[in-house]
Amino acid sequence: MNTFIAFFDVMRFKEFIYNNDPQETKRLFDHLLRDSQIALAKENYVNGKSGGVYPDLSYQTVNCLHVSDSIVFWTDTDGENDFNELVDVCYRFYWLSLQATFPLRGCLTYGEVNFTPTSIKNNNNRTFFNYSLFGKGRVEAYTKADSIEYAGCLLDQQAIAKISDALINKLIGDQKICLYKVPFKKGNSYEHVFRPIKGFHNDVSFRNSDLGIKRLFTFHTKQDIEKLPESVNQKLNNTIDFLNYFRMANSNEKTS
């Protein structure tokens, strides 16, 4: 079926696996599961039997699949209501990621998706699992997410073409997306992307966000910032440049 699909992947996942013991790996990976569930639950929570508070997935309106370092969200239809629901999930998931443990790259696009999960258990109590999700939409989302050189999420033109301009303008007015000059592996291009915040940073909040991004790129891999590879350091700086776009001083320059 043709539908809206969003793909996210964890940047530097291999280093994360190699540089943490199994207990820490599971603890941090659980944070990723938590954040996707919070986004799906629209930040609604329910009390658990053990006394904890958990995302209330009764509010979930789009599908979600975790496979290793990949997180895929997709809708059941290609209507504008489902598009809006997916935009909301991606917006929440993206800004949660910037405040949590992992830097992510993502893309929301439109295209063909096939998903027919099955599991077959034999007489020896062994199970054949099939959770394959494939199609041109999935490939497009992965390819475009992989091409950007900062921790961010694109709203692809193929998705925009299926939606009215009025709705895109509303998303811009609601400060969920904006037009930004995105750094790609091959040059820069103005694209619609998800915003990291609503409103603008003052000098103090920008400094705090700068420190947060540096921690985001180093904590999960347990590496000193001075020892990051140049390619990773460039992505880190590109992410901070993106946050700088939302500084209050810059906003005044744009409107003056």
Side-chain angles (χ1 to χ4, degrees), residues 172-191:
I172 294 172
D174 291 341
Q175 299 188 345
K176 290 185 176 180
I177 66 170
C178 68
L179 199 63
Y180 181 71
K181 192 173 185 179
V182 175
F184 290 94
K185 290 180 179 178
K186 295 182 179 180
N188 304 324
S189 174
Y190 280 98
E191 304 286 345

Side-chain angles (χ1 to χ4, degrees), residues 5 10 12 44 51 57 68 78 88 109 117 120 131 136 170 197 200-201 225:
I5 179 171
V10 177
R12 310 201 71 215
N44 290 289
L57 292 179
S68 187
D78 60 358
D88 187 65
T109 188
I120 305 171
Y131 290 96
K136 293 180 181 178
K170 183 178 186 304
I197 60 167
F200 295 90
H201 286 295
I225 194 168

Side-chain angles (χ1 to χ4, degrees), residues 107-110 144 154-163 165 190-192:
C107 175
L108 191 166
T109 188
Y110 174 84
K144 290 173 181 176
L154 301 175
L155 177 55
D156 185 44
Q157 184 59 41
Q158 292 191 53
I160 293 173
K162 296 293 296 183
I163 300 301
D165 278 347
Y190 280 98
E191 304 286 345
H192 292 84

Side-chain angles (χ1 to χ4, degrees), residues 82-148:
D82 272 3
F83 171 79
N84 262 328
E85 294 290 335
L86 185 56
V87 165
D88 187 65
V89 168
C90 291
Y91 171 74
R92 293 175 192 273
F93 186 55
Y94 174 55
W95 71 253
L96 280 168
S97 77
L98 290 181
Q99 300 176 47
T101 310
F102 296 100
L104 303 176
R105 292 184 294 186
C107 175
L108 191 166
T109 188
Y110 174 84
E112 178 191 1
V113 175
N114 289 280
F115 184 63
T116 309
T118 58
S119 60
I120 305 171
K121 183 172 289 188
N122 68 11
N123 293 333
N124 297 320
N125 204 32
R126 299 296 183 268
T127 305
F128 172 87
F129 295 102
N130 171 33
Y131 290 96
S132 302
L133 188 148
F134 58 93
K136 293 180 181 178
R138 194 272 187 209
V139 173
E140 284 290 318
Y142 163 78
T143 302
K144 290 173 181 176
D146 186 61
S147 69
I148 64 178

